[in-house]
Amino acid sequence: MVTTTRTYLDWNATAPLLPAVRDAFVSALDMSGNPSSVHKEGRAIRAAVEAARRDVAALVGAQASHVVFTSGATEAANLVLSPAYRMGRSALSIGHLYVSAIEHPAIREGGRFDKADVSEVAVTADGVLDLAALETALASHDVANGLPMVALMLVNNETGIIQPVAEAARLVHAVGGLLIVDAVQAVGRIPVDIEALDADFLIVSSHKIGGPKGMGALISRGEVMMPKPLIHGGGQEKGRRSGTENTSAIIGFGTAAVEASKNLDMEAQRLSALRRTLENAMRATAPDVIIHGADASRVCNTTFFTLPGLKSETGQIAFDIEGIALSAGAACSSGKVGESHVLTAMGHDPKLGALRISLGAATTEADIEKAIAAFARIAGRRKLDVQAA
């Protein structure tokens, strides 16, 4: 029996807009004035933008003056992944970019680096950065060509596996390099502190935590060392990202940051319990199911699984017909369902395919029960299909 009631289990792709964010966003639409104007209206909207900047900074333990608002995480990545930096008034050259093999495409593309100046660093079979491989890569780096830069996500968007960022930071900084951390899937799920991570830059996104789409930020530990601007113009964001600020989205982002910080531990416990129920039922129904990264440290909301004999695209459609929205991995290719580079990096045959269930603030026990029932029906049909073949 197919139900018409929809269940949303794709929170890693995007989180539904929070009610408090909607209210803040709509209210901001009625505010007149340009943040760069000196009259009363301009000062009022500037004050609201700066309040949001403080809230976003607080989400990761940073200083407000170190937050640069962008159009999203992808723009932030393209801004920070650059061979050209400034150290105060002096030029600073970055010679090579090292990215983990499981990074989001926005990072894997290398930003403003030439393809020849980008190398991948392997991960283990558990989907965790191979620190020995990183150390070897950094040891062979030729500093005569510029400093090394390493890009490592804090939480993988497909598996939910938490990466050893602080440990990587020690290796990177020991050779004078820079560490860029994609924290998009981490904020709102685990505590994130830029100082504790020892990251030089963090990338965050609004819509992953219930804020407006089209808004993100690049957050630095300091202000002395910064990449050359990607967008030039009127000098907004202290000249680091020109263009009139998207004030409503910024204010909405600030509200989402405040909401994401509330009851973090309690919400993590609740989602962990829901995921445990889901995964136990999946294993009981289909003992051959592969839950990727199950033995690694993961965030509380993510299950990335392979059901042998079921293609990713077929599975995604089957769940959609059942009224359940999930994904086949990263939602970054305009609906395209392709092979997972994360599976490849972990040593799995990418042709096996995988599906991702990701939970969020509105996920209930009833949603999990519905997902379990749908999984059982789909797994049962898969067995029949395999037998028939």
Side-chain angles (χ1 to χ4, degrees), residues 9-10 157-159 278-279 282 289-292 298 302-308 310-320 324-330 337-338 340 343 350 352-358 374-375 378-379:
L9 298 178
D10 200 15
N157 52 303
E158 295 190 15
T159 63
L278 171 68
E279 292 184 353
M282 290 168 65
V289 68
I290 303 168
I291 298 177
H292 301 286
R298 293 181 291 164
T302 305
T303 296
F304 191 49
F305 68 94
T306 292
L307 194 56
L310 182 70
K311 295 181 179 179
S312 297
E313 186 172 7
T314 302
Q316 192 171 10
I317 292 171
F319 275 99
D320 194 43
I324 296 173
L326 48 69
S327 72
V337 178
S340 168
L343 286 181
L352 286 174
L355 296 172
R356 182 187 68 192
I357 291 176
S358 48
F375 177 86
I378 293 167

Side-chain angles (χ1 to χ4, degrees), residues 59-205:
L59 184 63
V60 297
Q63 295 183 38
S65 60
H66 298 170
V67 175
V68 178
F69 288 119
T70 64
S71 65
T74 296
E75 185 193 323
N78 279 269
L79 170 58
V80 75
L81 300 181
S82 170
Y85 269 68
R86 304 289 299 182
M87 178 71 81
R89 295 184 178 182
S90 302
L92 182 67
S93 177
I94 310 299
H96 201 86
L97 171 64
Y98 302 88
V99 302
S100 86
I102 57 170
E103 294 301 305
H104 188 279
I107 300 292
R108 294 181 77 221
E109 286 296 314
R112 290 182 274 177
F113 283 89
D114 291 335
K115 293 294 184 182
D117 295 326
V118 181
S119 299
E120 280 194 355
V121 181
V123 298
T124 68
D126 288 329
V128 179
L129 176 71
D130 187 332
L131 289 169
L134 174 61
E135 188 171 20
T136 299
L138 292 173
S140 64
H141 177 81
D142 185 0
V143 294
N145 295 325
L147 297 176
M149 174 183 285
V150 174
L152 174 64
M153 57 189 2
L154 180 51
V155 171
N156 182 260
N157 52 303
E158 295 190 15
T159 63
I161 293 172
I162 301 170
Q163 299 300 313
V165 169
E167 293 86 343
R170 286 194 286 271
L171 298 177
V172 175
H173 293 150
V175 295
L178 279 69
L179 179 64
I180 315 302
V181 175
D182 171 0
V184 167
Q185 296 289 349
V187 292
R189 296 185 181 126
I190 58 174
V192 178
D193 187 288
I194 192 170
E195 295 292 340
L197 292 172
D198 201 16
D200 295 294
F201 293 90
L202 290 181
I203 296 169
V204 294
S205 175

